[in-house]
Amino acid sequence: MTENQNQPREYDAVLGGQNPPPIGAAVLGGISGIKSSLASPIVEVKIAALSEALKYGDAGLDLIIGVLKDESMSVKIAAYSLLQNREYLNKKLHMPNYLPTFEFDAITVNFLPLKNSCNRHSAHFFPEDLGNGIVLEMVRIRGGTFMMGSPSNETGRYDCESPQHPVTVPAFFAGKYPITQAQWQAVMGNNPSKFKGEKRPVENVSWDDAVEFCSQLWQKTGKKYRLLSEAEWEYACRADTTTAFHFGEYITTEIVNYDASDPCGYTAGGLYREETTDLGIFPPNAFGLCDMHGNVSEWCSDRWNQNYNGAPTDGSSWETGKEDYRVLRGGCWASECIGCRCATRGASPASNRSSGNSFRVAVASLSSSS
């Protein structure tokens, strides 16, 4: 067969034109060449051109900003990643507005068994494609300051929840749910869970296992996934509330999976399921996060400390404390009601595995550099 002399080969340089260049080929023509690549129907070509655009100052930044409205989620997120750490642009454009949003209802329970109110909310998020139709939904949690710990008059509180203190948490992204068994399988290639179900949380995972998952996810996606710090977890759970639970002062098995067989001051009792449930069947909090109370306890990055004396106030992980013991938050399917409060703290050896323990992931930025 005669080779077409006009057809560019894999490593040829091509000038901007009507036909998209081969992936990996060099594109000449400066801004014109980048514009040509950004007009390509090939996602990989567009993403490669975005990085090149940074070399051309304001003109290149204008091209990247234009791509924020691209129909392809992959291209849009690549552009967002390049721009989000540029503070002046972030303020000017309010970058989170360029992420997709979802709407949801958050409830408030002030009197049992009634749902006192139901309010409509929305949140920004990005989907992380793990392959084979498995998607990890990461919700943007805006930064803010809150009072961490429980007030002295909260029923069932423990001394380890004091002193209550202000903490300022920078914005970050948190998993909408704890990691599912399908997501774990997509990244790790196995399923250690006792209570099987693709949409159920993965459990029987140690803190060490959870950290390894984050490492593998980082390698797979190029984003620095990690566990939530304890402060991030409580801030994300409370979602601007100050009550014992993010939905109010009362808890029911209609909205949380926990052990209600022994009623306490927060509940009138109810169903004890004795196992995990599918994620997302209970209403989210006002930040759009589901299953923050009950179902599975969630590993946090921090070492265990007996109280908050000397705790960080910037939302970071507390890396000094009891050796090899790590924090668990949220309570699980086997916890009584007081163990599911926003402020309840627990701990376990980092190597311990339990059918009540899982985790959700966080990432500070969509960029691989932060």
Side-chain angles (χ1 to χ4, degrees):
M1 179 182 294
T2 303
E3 183 177 347
N4 185 347
Q5 298 298 317
N6 295 320
Q7 179 65 36
R9 289 164 295 189
E10 183 178 4
Y11 299 106
D12 283 349
V14 295
L15 293 173
Q18 297 301 313
N19 297 320
I23 299 173
V27 179
L28 300 182
I31 286 292
S32 296
I34 292 172
K35 287 180 178 178
S36 176
S37 295
L38 291 176
S40 169
I42 303 173
V43 168
E44 292 83 355
V45 170
K46 288 185 175 183
I47 292 175
L50 289 173
S51 297
E52 286 295 313
L54 287 177
K55 301 175 182 178
Y56 293 91
D58 289 344
L61 288 173
D62 287 341
L63 292 179
I64 298 173
I65 291 169
V67 171
L68 288 171
K69 298 180 180 180
D70 195 282
E71 294 181 1
S72 167
M73 184 61 64
S74 298
V75 176
K76 183 183 296 185
I77 288 176
Y80 183 99
S81 300
L82 292 171
L83 295 173
Q84 68 172 336
N85 293 325
R86 288 168 168 76
E87 186 174 357
Y88 73 100
L89 278 178
N90 208 334
K91 291 180 179 179
K92 177 181 177 181
L93 300 173
H94 195 53
M95 295 298 298
N97 286 344
Y98 289 91
L99 290 173
T101 61
F102 66 99
E103 295 187 344
F104 54 92
D105 292 320
I107 66 170
T108 300
V109 181
N110 285 333
F111 303 99
L112 291 175
L114 302 177
K115 296 175 183 177
N116 189 54
S117 62
C118 185
N119 298 309
R120 196 71 171 166
H121 295 268
S122 65
H124 294 282
F125 78 105
F126 74 87
E128 189 72 84
D129 186 359
L130 302 182
N132 297 319
I134 307 300
V135 176
L136 172 62
E137 294 176 89
M138 298 297 296
V139 180
R140 186 178 186 275
I141 308 300
R142 55 176 171 74
T145 300
F146 79 112
M147 291 299 292
M148 186 173 182
S150 59
S152 59
N153 62 347
E154 186 164 295
T155 301
R157 75 185 298 271
Y158 300 100
D159 289 342
C160 65
E161 299 165 19
S162 63
Q164 199 174 29
H165 58 291
V167 177
T168 299
V169 178
F172 67 103
F173 293 88
K176 186 176 182 180
Y177 314 101
I179 293 298
T180 68
Q181 293 175 34
Q183 291 164 348
W184 178 278
Q185 180 79 44
V187 175
M188 305 298 285
N190 56 54
N191 184 1
S193 305
K194 176 180 179 180
F195 305 114
K196 293 292 193 288
E198 287 191 353
K199 295 182 180 179
R200 293 192 184 199
V202 66
E203 19 87 3
N204 267 335
V205 291
S206 66
W207 183 89
D208 294 323
D209 295 332
V211 170
E212 178 60 23
F213 176 90
C214 292
S215 177
Q216 293 294 326
L217 187 59
W218 181 353
Q219 292 183 39
K220 185 180 183 73
T221 66
K223 300 182 185 72
K224 292 186 178 181
Y225 281 99
R226 55 175 174 79
L227 298 178
L228 280 71
S229 72
E230 186 178 10
E232 287 176 331
W233 191 95
E234 187 171 328
Y235 175 72
C237 177
R238 289 188 178 281
D240 289 337
T241 65
T242 59
T243 47
F245 308 95
H246 63 66
F247 41 74
E249 295 289 0
Y250 298 96
I251 183 173
T252 80
T253 55
E254 294 179 14
I255 54 177
V256 175
N257 179 18
Y258 68 103
D259 179 5
S261 61
D262 185 17
C264 66
Y266 294 107
T267 181
L271 175 68
Y272 180 25
R273 297 176 175 87
E274 301 186 63
E275 61 180 330
T276 61
T277 55
D278 283 0
L279 294 166
I281 66 174
F282 301 119
N285 67 10
F287 282 172
L289 303 181
C290 296
D291 292 80
M292 296 298 289
H293 297 300
N295 208 7
V296 283
S297 297
E298 300 179 23
W299 289 110
C300 294
S301 57
D302 307 56
R303 293 186 184 275
W304 173 253
N305 285 268
Q306 292 290 346
N307 55 51
Y308 288 132
N309 289 323
T313 58
D314 60 357
S316 62
S317 182
W318 199 355
E319 290 305 312
T320 58
K322 189 171 183 179
E323 187 176 358
D324 294 332
Y325 269 68
R326 297 288 174 166
V327 172
L328 286 159
R329 299 299 297 259
C332 72
W333 57 269
S335 300
E336 58 182 3
C337 57
I338 61 173
C340 297
R341 293 173 298 115
C342 296
T344 303
R345 307 176 68 215
S348 185
S351 59
N352 184 52
R353 296 186 177 95
S354 166
S355 61
N357 294 348
S358 186
F359 65 102
R360 74 181 70 214
V361 296
V363 66
S365 165
L366 275 67
S367 170
S368 60
S369 62
S370 60

